[in-house]
Structure formats: C-alpha cells, structure tokens
Amino acid sequence: DGCLLNVCPHGLSWCMHMERERQRELSYKTKPLMTEFSVKSTIISRYAFTTVSCRMLNRASEDQDIEFQMQIPAAAFITNFTMLIGDKVYQGEITERAKKSGDRVKEKRNKTTEENGEKGTEIFRASAVIPSKDKAAFFLSYEELLQRRLGKYEHSISVRPQQLSGRLSVDVNILESAGIASLEVLPLHNSRQRGSGRGEDDSGPPPSTVINQNETFANIIFKPSVVQQAKIAQNGVLGDFIIRYDVNREQSIGDIQVLNGYFVHYFAPKDLPPLPKNVVFVLDSSASMVGTKLRQTKDALFTILHDLRPQDRFSIIGFSNRIKVWKDHLISVTPDSIRDGKVYIHHMSPTGGTDINGALQRAIRLLNKYVAHNDIGDRSVSLIIFLTDGKPTVGETHTLKILNNTREAARGQVCIFTIGIGNDVDFRLLEKLSLENCGLTRRVHEEEDAGSQLIGFYDEIRTPLLSDIRIDYPPSSVVQATKTLFPNYFNGSEIIIAGKLVDRKLDHLHVEVTASNSKKFVILKTDVPVGPQKAGKDVTGSSRPEGDGEGDPNHIERLWSYLTTKQLLSSWLQSDDEPEKERLRQRAQDLALSYRFLTPFTSMKLRGPVPRKDGLEEAHGMSAAMGPEPVVQSVRGAGTQPGPLLEKPYQPRIKISKTSVDGDPHFVVDFPLSKLTVCFNIDGQPGDILRLVSDHMDSGVTVNGELIGAPAPPNGHKKQRTYFRTITILVNKPERSYLEITPSRVILDGGDRLVLPCNQSVVVGSRGLEVSVSANANVTVTIQGSIAFVILIHLYKKPAPFQRHHLGFYIANSEGLSSNCHGLLGQFLNQDARLTEDPAGPSQSPTHLLLLQAGEGPEAVLKVKGHQVPVVWKQRKIYNGEEQIDCWFARNNAAKLIDGEYKDYLASHPFDTGMTLGRGTSREL
C-alpha cells in the first residue's frame, strides 16, 4: 500500500500526487449528495410566502455530519422548520427566546457574517448527523412584505445549494388583484466572487426560465439541468434568482384590500411635482478610506451632483479629525456651483480619525439655518446623506450621546440616510441614526462597488413628492392600525398601512390623506368601497378561521402582524427608556409567538424525534415545496397540496358526497334519507357535451362536461372509452363568471381573465366565487358558500393507449341549488328513492346483499321521481378507486331512471344553459 520509489516509475512526487487525487475523489464520492433543492414562493398582494426544500443522501459507510444553510432576505421572518433524518421527524417550534438552548438548530441573524453573508441577507443554519446509507430532508419556510423601490417590487431567492443537484427548481406564483403592470426576471446575481459564475447570456433571465402570466397572475419557473447548472457555477453557488415587478395603480387615494376583518392600504401616488431638496453630503475622508473606496465614492458624488434639480440646495462636508465644510451655507444648483463642488470633492484626501458626531452636528446646523432664514420648511425636505467606513474615534465617541445629540439637533425636521462601507463600520449606530431621524440605512460589503451602491441609494430618495403625510381612518371603523404618520414619500416607493376593521360587514371605509407638496397643502378624502367580506381560504388551501391570530389566518392578517411586529422592533431599538423598552419587547414577543415569527425575541426549538408516518410530508405541507409527482392523487387523502406557508400539523380531508361522475363516465347518485346509492353509465360519443347540473334560472349555476375518446382495452366489451376532458361552470349570480377546467389548467373569466396551472397550488376568489387548486390533485369550486363542487384530476405517468388524462366531477355541497335543478346529476339532488318488491319476490336487505360476492347480484325495482326502474345490485369504486361502494345499477344508459333520453342532455357548447327538460329554457353564453 506504500508509495515507494522503486515501484513508482513516475517518481515519488508524482505517486504522492496521485494518492492525494485518489483520496480527494474518495472524499467527493462519500460526501453527502444533495438529491434535490427546490424553492416555492407564492406572492399575494406583495406578501410573499416561501418554502425551501432540500434532500440529502449519505452514501458513505459511516454516519456523517451535514449542515443545511439558506440565505434569506434580511426583512423576512422564518415561520417554520422541519427536519427529517431517516425515519425520525424533528419539528421546529417558535418559543420565547431563552439564554441557553441545547437544540441543534443554529440560527444566525447577523448581517456582518464575513464567510457567508450576502448584501441584504441573513443566514439560517441547521446541522444534523445522517446515518450511513440514509436520507435527510430539510424544509424551511419564511415570509416577507416586499418593499417598493425605484418603482419595482423585488423578490430575491438565494440559489446556493453548494453542489450540483439532480433536481433543482425555483417556482414563483404572483397574484396581484390590481393587475401586474410589468414583470422581469434578472440574470443570476452573485456579489461574492467565491467561484460564482454567470450563464452564457447575462442580458436576460437565467437559462431554462419559463414565464407565464396574464393580467393578475404570473408563474415563473427556473429549472436548470445539471449541465446548465455546471455552466453557471461548478460549485453549486448559482446566485440570487431575482424577480422584479410592479402593479397597476388607479386611484390617487391608493389601493385598499379587505379580507376577514383585516385591511391593507397601499399608497403610492404618482404624477406629482417633486419637492425641492435641501441636501448635505457628508463624506468620511479618514485614513481608512484610502484607495478604491474613496475614489469610487468621489465618482459617485460627481454623478449625483449632476442629477440635482435647479430648485434644490446643497452643500458638502468632508470629515476625519477635522470637519471640513465646502461652504458655510447651502448653495443653489447652477452649472458653476456643480463644477466647484466637484473640484472640492476631487481635492479631498484621506487622513486622520473619524468624528461622526461633529460632522452630523455641522450638517444639521447648515440645514436648520437655511430653512429658518428662507421660510420654506413645509415646501421642501431636508436630507443628510452620510457615508462612513468606520467607528467614531475622535470627538464624542459614546454611541448613546451621539444618538441623543443628533436627535435633539434634528428635531424631526432633518432625515438622515446612512451608508456603511466594509466590515469595520458601526452598522448598529448607523441603523439607529436613520431609524430615529426618518431615514434609511444601507450596508456595502468590502468587495462591492461603493460608488454604484451610493448612486443606487440616492436614486431611491432623489425625488421627494410629499412631506408630512398623515393617513386617517374613522376610529369607530378601524383599530390597531400600523403607523399612519410618515415624514416623506419618495417617487417609486410605497406607503403601507394595515389594521383591523371593527365591523366586518362594512361597505365603505372613509380615508383621509393630508400632506404637503411643492405647491400647496394636499388633502384627499374619499369613501373606498371594500365589498362583502367572506371567510375563504388562505394560500395553504385550508379554511380560514374567524379567530384572531389562531389557526391559519389570511394573508392580509399575516401582513398586518408582520408589519406590526416590524414596527414594534423598530420602536424598541429606538427607545432609551427601560420600562418602555420592556413593554415594547413583550408586545413584539407576544405577537411573534402568536403568528410564529422567528424574531430577536423568539427562538426556534426542535421537538422530537418522533417516528415518521405515511403521508407525513404532505401533513406538514412539504409537498408544496418539493413539487408534486405527476401521478393520480386522491381528494380524500393527504394529497391535498397546501401552499408554501407551513402552518398546520396536518391537512384536513375534503368532505364530498358520493354523488358524482367519474371514469368512463360512471355516474353515482346518493340518496341519504333512504340510505340508497344508485349508479348508471352513459355511453356518449367523443365531443359530446353533457349537462350535469342545470339550475340557471334559480341559483344561476350550470355545469357541463365535454367527453374525449380513447380506444377500448384489449378483450373489453366496449368499442371505445370516453372520459371528461373539460368541465365548464357558469355562475350567473351575483355577477357572471365562467370557469373552464382541464387536467392542465383552470381558466376563470369574471371580467378579468385568470389562467391557473393545475400543477400549482393556489386559491383565488371574488364576488362570492372561490377556486382552490390543489396541485395535480383536485380543484374545489365554492359558490356563495352554499354550493361546492370538487373536480378530481386524473393523471398518468405513462398512460396506456386506452388511458387519457381526465377529470371526475363530485358534488360536495348542494344546499344552494334549487328544487328545480336538473341535469344528469342535478335532477336527483332534491329527490328520494326507495326499493320496491322485485318480480321474484321481496327485495333483500342491503345487509344481506353485502355478503354476496362481487359483481351483479339480485335484481329489484327502484322507485324514484315516479319512475319504476329495474335495477341490479353491484359494487363500484369511486374517489380514484380508494373507496368501494354498494349501489343499485340502472342498465341501458339509465333508461327509465333519468327524465327523457340521452340526446336531451346534449349541450350545443360548453357554456350552454338551455335545458329541454325541467324549468330552464334559455340558451345563451
């Protein structure tokens, strides 16, 4: 086994090199293999639910330590984490933060992490030991409210699995009721240089990206093959998958959305004249800024100075040991003043320490002096743009005193926007300076271009449109609203307020907006229609409770809780009063625990291990993250696919009746009063459209089904098979809506046309109609809360020649259908049936019949709707074959059972509402 010179013809060094390569290859082969990395996001009205799924395989002959890590946006709250190791399940639980924890989840919320932190992200880590030849799976969920910057919302997903993955996918659904105005997918972005790469084409979406969208819905899928991944980055660090979009805006008062007692108000006015800016640029010129940082910053300021408007006023301060002011007053914007300012910046040289307190005090005095002498405070905004790469080392160096001095000098009249460069900066100080003085803060990593970051930051605040904004709602109508006072509104941003409605039956919400712009004092008043509020379904597809923070709340309630928690954390950070800080901490902690947010005041503990059960992944909502397999799924089992929000320990089964039509096509009618079930077949022709439920004149509901043909199986008694390819539903009340359902998509047209793919779980609804798609499993249609249909989706991995992807139609709730309802199924909904004596003597009891062998049993006569129908007992399977029922079968295409004959139930087109039998006689689209 040794590597000896006399047996190694290439020499000792070459032999040692080959041994190292062998060891490296051996190590690579036994490294845990990532078999899947997938991310699914659902964005509803700017609120994003994201679930990450990662699967690992230990190929080694011994146990191995593994680490799961995921970069998440800094603004996001983690809501759930589950770990599967072999057959053991470890479920994350959000609890009060304790000083010590023995659990093996390590959660880093530190933006300054040098090894892994990307700009604007934080890192979640969990470690585990995988037994030899065993598997592990990790499921992480988080939520965030997308912020509008430069006229766009940005949703960024970290795709850094650290190795090439056989199955890698990103799947994003966007649902915006206001309408999607623009949408783009950027090239993969990676600000670190650790082996990251780009695709062959950097100008557009990453390779394999597919975008489907209409007016209100978009689906984006990124699913690169291993070869495509390798072309981007051999080490699996692909980068950030970034989607940018904006929505339509109609009303000047903004967009108000209401659901189940909660509202959200999006306010982003446009087409307003910009306010004049009074701006002081404060630039760190201490010795640590030497080299690239100072040069990039100077270049950026040259660009920014040229962007100033003629009505703006500005000055420049450089600071190190000394405070160096370009002019002792604000200067108007002219070609000469811009040239002089650039010359002053050009001659700045790095030297000395860092007097942060002195520089801020001097800048605030400049602004206060100008505003006091020119009486334009209400018609302009005063800003400080402050850039540094270090900590205070000269003058006042105590953080609390710097904050107090700045707050007292600014008096809420000066907004401070801070930029911290590199790893040595006191970012907490800059963050508090901005929070306490109506500004924002940004972090620039050491290797990033400080100049481009500065320009991008300035672009966000370059155009103030309003100042001193106040948004009021009647106290009798709204409680627990988030912040309603805002110092400034910048073009391209958005003001968001959420709250609770006192009266859920409220028809209109009175809104008043007061603010100042460059010309005058602005007052907007209006009554915004909020429409009826109904309990519906959330993104998980589970019913929404009426409670307050219990169970699965709707997305607007979670948005409210997210925004409220964020503002409580911000107030806690700003407060210096210990009793007040404790009250804020307790409120933030209580809210975070109630809504399961991982915050600085809560922690995550793993509960377990518990034995893994069948269907566990679906029970924890994980299948949504992994993407469903294209196989037949049942409506009765755990195959119901929740969305990306991991909230419940299990998914409730959908309750539906036996009354249905499925398969080739086999009809089943349940008569619950007499405890009888009747079944029959209809042998139609491909292309026939059958009337299933016809109640157009009363409840306004019509359901039709279109048949598709297939060859009969070998040795079968039929010449061909027929299945339902399309189910169409017309809802005429309170407003007209059209639904067309196929195994691949759902088209909802109620004024706005919406196309929903059937391989994605989503819930949409309006005007009393709700459509819930459970990925590759079923579609539930609920009408006015009193009518519900479930359409099963039957898919085949490898269909035989006689098989077709098709649909099954089940009636879950018929309470809202009238007694005049007709159609092949509808005519039986309000009827009852009973067995009479058959020609051979008294009918046998159902209990006795159950003891007979499968197949057709004794005959009887069924009395229903005045008809005497010969029937024979048999067994039939429903619900994807999962349940076997006993039924009385009517032969000969249900002759004598149904009113009329087969041709009477043929519709002329999918949305034909005419019915030659029963009351309905109209025929229309």
Side-chain angles (χ1 to χ4, degrees), residues 202-440:
D202 283 357
S203 62
S208 82
T209 302
V210 177
I211 303 171
N212 290 297
Q213 72 176 105
N214 57 27
E215 290 86 351
T216 58
F217 177 80
N219 173 244
I220 302 99
I221 296 178
F222 171 55
K223 200 171 183 179
S225 65
V226 174
V227 173
Q228 289 171 320
Q229 294 173 48
K231 288 182 179 180
I232 299 169
Q234 290 281 352
N235 61 359
V237 182
L238 275 64
D240 295 316
F241 185 81
I242 300 172
I243 299 167
R244 285 183 185 156
Y245 74 97
D246 199 18
V247 301
N248 296 319
R249 288 175 177 78
E250 303 275 331
Q251 303 181 39
S252 58
I253 200 73
D255 177 24
I256 295 181
Q257 299 178 20
V258 177
L259 188 60
N260 291 355
Y262 289 82
F263 78 93
V264 59
H265 183 182
Y266 299 102
F267 182 61
K270 54 185 179 179
D271 301 326
L272 295 172
L275 281 163
K277 295 192 298 290
N278 314 312
V279 57
V280 178
F281 300 97
V282 182
L283 174 63
D284 186 344
S285 60
S286 62
S288 59
M289 286 287 290
V290 67
T292 303
K293 282 188 286 189
L294 187 58
R295 178 179 53 78
Q296 289 176 345
T297 302
K298 287 180 178 182
D299 290 342
L301 282 175
F302 294 160
T303 301
I304 290 171
L305 290 181
H306 280 291
D307 188 68
L308 293 173
R309 297 183 176 88
Q311 66 265 38
D312 295 339
R313 299 291 185 272
F314 77 106
S315 189
I316 304 162
I317 293 177
F319 72 96
S320 54
N321 289 34
R322 297 168 49 221
I323 311 301
K324 293 161 280 189
V325 182
W326 172 47
K327 304 286 186 182
D328 60 359
H329 58 280
L330 295 190
I331 304 297
S332 60
V333 175
T334 66
D336 289 344
S337 64
I338 296 298
R339 184 193 64 238
D340 293 345
K342 290 172 67 177
V343 170
Y344 179 77
I345 293 170
H346 176 73
H347 287 296
M348 281 186 179
S349 58
T351 181
T354 310
D355 187 357
I356 290 177
N357 182 73
L360 286 170
Q361 292 297 309
R362 192 64 182 273
I364 295 170
R365 284 200 299 272
L366 278 177
L367 290 166
N368 287 341
K369 178 181 175 182
Y370 175 76
V371 172
H373 284 81
N374 291 274
D375 192 29
I376 60 164
D378 291 338
R379 290 176 290 108
S380 67
V381 295
S382 296
L383 313 174
I384 292 174
I385 297 178
F386 182 89
L387 185 146
T388 183
D389 73 336
K391 302 177 177 68
T393 60
V394 176
E396 180 58 69
T397 58
H398 194 274
T399 297
L400 283 179
K401 288 187 177 179
I402 294 173
L403 292 169
N404 289 335
N405 293 343
T406 305
R407 188 168 55 245
E408 290 172 4
R411 303 190 310 276
Q413 304 302 308
V414 177
C415 294
I416 301 175
F417 297 83
T418 59
I419 301 170
I421 302 177
N423 306 315
D424 297 327
V425 70
D426 187 346
F427 192 73
R428 178 57 65 88
L429 170 61
L430 299 185
E431 189 176 38
K432 291 197 73 173
L433 280 170
S434 294
L435 275 174
E436 293 181 1
N437 297 282
C438 60
L440 300 169

Side-chain angles (χ1 to χ4, degrees), residues 637-661:
T640 302
Q641 299 290 334
L645 175 61
L646 303 186
E647 286 295 327
K648 296 189 70 172
Y650 64 90
Q651 191 73 12
R653 297 188 175 192
I654 300 173
K655 296 179 180 178
I656 60 177
S657 73
K658 300 174 187 175
T659 301
S660 61
V661 55

Side-chain angles (χ1 to χ4, degrees), residues 868-914:
Q868 299 281 339
V869 187
V871 291
V872 63
W873 178 85
K874 70 183 306 181
Q875 291 184 322
R876 171 160 286 177
K877 291 186 177 183
I878 59 173
Y879 306 144
N880 274 353
E882 287 197 353
E883 183 167 324
Q884 184 167 278
I885 60 169
D886 306 306
C887 65
W888 291 98
F889 179 70
R891 297 189 181 98
N892 302 324
N893 260 11
K896 299 183 181 181
L897 175 65
I898 60 176
D899 294 335
E901 55 188 39
Y902 174 75
K903 66 179 183 180
D904 296 322
Y905 295 89
L906 294 179
S908 61
H909 57 78
F911 293 103
D912 183 1
T913 61

